[in-house]
Each structure stands twice: as structure tokens, then as C-alpha cells.
Amino acid sequence: MTPNTRTNQIAPISIPNDWDDDALLTFEQFCTLIQTPQRTVRDWKRRKVGVDWRRLGNTGRIYTTVGEARRFVHAGQNGRKEVRADVEDR
């Protein structure tokens, strides 16, 4: 391998067991955790797929919980289509 060659190493997505399910993750933290570009996650949010997002106060920031992230990752590992219950299947 030459010094200019980049290797794309894919690390498995895992959420530490000691993280509390009620702990909050920012939008950016969630994107980093699941190794997905923010633009893609914004599209999922717009289409109401993926995790539930909440806004706290008037901060303008959106959050999800570690429990929601675990549910999302677990569903993906089992090959299930992940659509939130409040959205009809099209």
C-alpha cells in the first residue's frame, strides 16, 4: 500500500451497554454514532423514518434518546424496514 492510498475501514455500529437509554444524543452525535451523513439523516427526519426527534425549549437543537438509537441500530441489524408507527407504509 502506498502512503497516498486511503483505506475505508468500516467499524461495526455499537452503543456502549453502560449508556442509559434515557440519555440524550444531539443530531450531530447521532449522525456520528451511526456513521451516516447529516444530509441523509435530515432527509429521514423529513420523511419521518428512523428515530423520533424532540426539541427541548427554544434552543433550536433537536435530540433523540440512546434508547431510540439502540432500537434503530437493532432494527437495521435484523434487516427490518424501520418506519415509525405514526407514518403509514407507502
Side-chain angles (χ1 to χ4, degrees):
M1 183 178 347
T2 64
N4 293 334
T5 304
R6 287 181 50 187
T7 59
N8 292 329
Q9 295 186 13
I10 299 174
I13 297 171
S14 64
I15 300 170
N17 290 331
D18 61 340
W19 286 13
D20 181 16
D21 280 351
D22 294 328
L24 296 176
L25 293 172
T26 65
F27 178 82
E28 295 82 3
Q29 290 169 325
F30 177 77
C31 293
T32 300
L33 181 70
I34 67 164
Q35 304 169 22
T36 304
Q38 290 183 11
R39 184 176 182 167
T40 300
V41 178
R42 278 191 198 100
D43 181 58
W44 293 347
K45 181 182 175 299
R46 182 186 59 78
R47 293 186 295 130
K48 298 186 189 241
V49 298
V51 300
D52 288 324
W53 294 99
R54 298 285 184 250
R55 219 174 276 287
L56 299 178
N58 295 325
T59 63
R61 302 218 46 162
I62 56 174
Y63 299 87
T64 193
T65 62
V66 170
E68 276 287 305
R70 278 197 176 102
R71 180 189 57 77
F72 178 77
V73 169
H74 180 72
Q77 289 172 345
N78 292 328
R80 295 188 318 218
K81 180 180 176 187
E82 183 63 29
V83 177
R84 293 197 315 237
D86 61 339
V87 179
E88 293 180 21
D89 193 16
R90 295 178 190 184

